[in-house]
Amino acid sequence: MSHLSTLQQLDSKHFIHPFTDHNALASAKTRIISRAQGIYIFEQNDQPILDAMSGLWCCNLGYGRTEIADAVSAQLNQLAFYNSFFQCTTEPAVLLSKRLSDLAPAHINTVFYTNSGSEANDTMIRFSHRYWDLKNKPNKKIIISRKNGYHGSTIAGASLGGMSFMHQQFKGLDYIHHIDQPYWFGEGGDLTPEAFGLKIAQQLEQKILELGVDNVAAFVAEPIQGAGGVIIPPATYWPEIQRICDNYDILLVADEVICGFGRLGTAFASQYFNIKPDFICFAKAVTNGYQPLGGVLISDRVSDVVKAAGDDFAHGFTYSGHPASCAAALATLDILEKEQIIERVKNDTAPYFNKRWQQLAEHPLVGEARSIGMLGAIELVQNKTTNARFPDEQAAGPVCRDKCVEVGLIMRAVGETMVVAPPLVISHQEIDDLFNKAWQALDLTAQQLKE
Ligand code: PXG
């Protein structure tokens, strides 16, 4: 038996994968990725596959970044671990806190570290509750989030998330409430995008009034929904959300686990949309995916109150501010700065990517091609005039995903929406490669669905 088959057998027997149908996996066999360079990943057979999902929305600087690997290695050799409890810390954790504060909007100057985006969202709930308790408003405990949002898979993260298929498998927290998503293509009906954006944002106001303003702590949303299908809200949406949060004194949380660190050509999407969140949740690209690290950036108005409380904020993880993860993040931020990646995305890479991506709208299978920064989505439809979908038994998304792999491209299928988040360092030529492969995969998908 080949080494590959042995690994696949062991995998099938011993490894429960996240978000995976194991019957389907057993018949398909796991694909084992063995190496990667630049924006390409390789399986055992050595065919390059263009990774238009940056790992899982995280390897924004591409693969093979020896500077990050070396920084982690040097830190592990000098001090592999020490905690940041009990009035201790380590140098990388301190330096990273300063760097992240500088990168964040001006009203944000402190950070709390976690190991993941899910824990970042748990942490922002802990901070929200603590803040309102300290402000003598102990009833403010409710968090409002959105249907089809994604905020992770801990109990709090999954409760915040609005994925109905996840809620069917566990009991969510009862103090989390959901409003609709600003998904114009799917749910906009006859409204213009602007009118729809306003209407959906105003659901927040209605929900606050329904639940009682004295009971609501915070509203959380991804600036652009990632896992939900790269849903770009109409231009009217974010200004109205900000107005409502200001008006009712509700904490605003931007979950930037996907949007942060240059994805939209700004350090954070909050700067792109000109919103003023009280918390920014981050993870993923902060280390270019090289080490697990997440956290919450906290506004001065919240952190001043929590710091001044006079007793412990009783929250933390063993690995909050792990020195090797912080060293990876520092090396990542060094590259972002040295190679001027955020500016390049804004002025060059994203405009070119957007131009090419929009051309996919001409394909017979595509009802809409939308993009912003270095995020793109296409809606697969059976009928381009009416935007009618394929019937369930024909579902185009999974077919298209497989066809992409066949032609050497990783795109993610979110139902009937294909999404990409390519590495920010992708060149024009590689964007052309991405476009050509996507078109080819769409042709093959159309052909298979016809048969
Ligand atoms: N918030 C957002 C906005 C995310 O996208 C998390 C929180 C949770 O982060 P952790 O590190 O706990 O996974 C995420 C994660 C997908 C997919 O299929 C997306 C994520 C994770 C796994 C799969 O698109 N996003």
Side-chain angles (χ1 to χ4, degrees):
M1 189 184 291
S2 71
H3 182 55
L4 175 60
S5 310
T6 307
L7 286 177
Q8 285 167 329
Q9 261 192 11
L10 292 174
D11 180 76
S12 182
K13 189 157 175 216
H14 299 292
F15 187 0
I16 303 228
H17 293 230
F19 288 89
T20 296
D21 170 349
H22 280 81
N23 271 333
L25 180 66
S27 53
K29 304 264 188 306
T30 337
R31 294 175 36 238
I32 300 177
I33 311 305
S34 54
R35 67 188 182 88
Q37 186 60 37
I39 67 162
Y40 294 92
I41 58 172
F42 297 84
E43 292 187 54
Q44 313 263 335
N45 66 10
D46 244 24
Q47 287 307 310
I49 304 176
L50 195 165
D51 181 11
M53 280 306 299
S54 303
L56 199 49
W57 321 86
C58 47
C59 302
N60 282 7
L61 309 178
Y63 301 95
R65 287 292 189 166
T66 48
E67 307 94 308
I68 308 174
D70 290 347
V72 172
S73 163
Q75 182 58 45
L76 288 174
N77 283 317
Q78 185 181 322
L79 174 69
F81 175 71
Y82 203 73
N83 69 68
S84 52
F85 290 55
F86 320 128
Q87 305 187 350
C88 291
T89 191
T90 63
E91 185 170 327
V94 176
L95 296 179
L96 181 62
S97 307
K98 163 72 174 143
R99 287 286 285 278
L100 290 171
S101 300
D102 289 347
L103 204 61
H107 68 289
I108 290 180
N109 290 289
T110 45
V111 59
F112 190 100
Y113 293 112
T114 68
N115 305 290
S116 68
S118 301
E119 290 171 355
N121 280 287
D122 280 55
T123 294
M124 82 62 188
I125 297 181
R126 297 293 310 276
F127 265 101
S128 300
H129 286 183
R130 177 75 172 147
Y131 172 75
W132 288 119
D133 282 349
L134 291 167
K135 296 286 280 183
N136 287 320
K137 294 192 172 171
N139 292 333
K140 280 172 95 63
K141 291 286 187 286
I142 291 175
I143 316 286
I144 300 174
S145 62
R146 305 185 301 184
K147 291 175 194 161
N148 198 37
Y150 189 77
H151 301 286
S153 204
T154 52
I155 294 293
S159 299
L160 291 170
M163 309 270 177
S164 53
F165 66 92
M166 287 175 73
H167 282 270
Q168 280 160 18
Q169 295 185 5
F170 80 109
K171 180 161 169 37
L173 298 171
D174 61 9
Y175 59 81
I176 291 171
H177 294 251
H178 297 85
I179 59 173
D180 285 338
Q181 56 175 337
Y183 181 28
W184 181 74
F185 179 86
E187 297 167 6
D190 293 335
L191 294 177
T192 62
E194 291 72 26
F196 177 71
L198 215 51
K199 178 183 152 196
I200 295 298
Q202 283 163 359
Q203 280 191 10
L204 176 60
E205 187 159 38
Q206 288 149 21
K207 193 56 116 181
I208 292 167
L209 294 173
E210 175 193 319
L211 297 166
V213 65
D214 292 336
N215 301 319
V216 179
F219 170 68
V220 57
E222 302 154 81
I224 309 287
Q225 284 153 264
V230 178
I231 288 162
I232 306 170
T236 46
Y237 182 79
W238 275 113
E240 184 66 0
I241 291 287
Q242 180 74 64
R243 180 193 72 74
I244 295 165
C245 289
D246 289 347
N247 193 41
Y248 295 98
D249 199 18
I250 304 297
L251 298 172
L252 174 59
V253 188
D255 182 344
E256 299 225 23
V257 166
I258 283 175
C259 295
F261 305 100
R263 180 68 44 205
L264 301 190
T266 48
F268 293 98
S270 296
Q271 292 143 332
Y272 185 98
F273 289 111
N274 199 20
I275 54 174
K276 211 174 163 204
D278 293 285
F279 303 105
I280 292 177
C281 300
F282 66 90
K284 292 190 187 272
V286 65
T287 62
N288 200 35
Y290 275 48
Q291 288 284 287
L293 180 68
V296 185
L297 286 155
I298 303 146
S299 67
D300 296 341
R301 86 150 160 160
V302 173
S303 79
D304 287 351
V305 169
V306 172
K307 278 178 169 175
D311 59 358
D312 281 7
F313 173 42
H315 177 59
F317 305 105
T318 300
Y319 297 133
S320 286
H322 193 293
S325 299
C326 292
L330 284 167
T332 299
L333 297 183
D334 281 345
I335 297 172
L336 267 185
E337 212 173 284
K338 208 168 60 202
E339 298 183 11
Q340 300 190 311
I341 284 167
I342 296 176
E343 295 79 0
R344 237 169 63 204
V345 165
K346 180 170 179 226
N347 300 321
D348 177 51
T349 321
Y352 188 69
F353 167 70
N354 283 276
K355 187 177 126 204
R356 301 277 8 227
W357 190 260
Q358 305 294 333
Q359 290 165 350
L360 291 174
E362 289 157 29
H363 195 279
L365 218 52
V366 175
E368 180 184 77
R370 56 176 180 268
S371 57
I372 181 170
M374 295 301 286
L375 289 170
I378 47 179
E379 299 282 359
L380 303 179
V381 295
Q382 188 173 36
N383 182 326
K384 239 178 131 67
T385 317
T386 61
N387 284 336
R389 302 284 197 182
F390 285 91
D392 277 353
E393 62 277 8
Q394 262 187 299
V399 177
C400 187
R401 181 193 52 213
D402 292 348
K403 295 299 173 194
C404 283
V405 176
E406 231 176 272
V407 303
L409 173 66
I410 300 288
M411 277 214 261
R412 164 124 159 61
V414 180
E416 297 293 89
T417 312
M418 301 302 298
V419 303
V420 293
L424 308 183
V425 294
I426 191 169
S427 69
H428 285 215
Q429 203 182 351
E430 289 166 336
I431 290 172
D432 293 341
D433 189 22
L434 164 54
F435 174 85
N436 293 333
K437 287 185 160 129
W439 191 278
Q440 203 185 340
L442 286 166
D443 279 348
L444 293 172
T445 304
Q447 199 179 322
Q448 170 151 341
L449 290 172
K450 218 181 272 167
E451 276 159 15

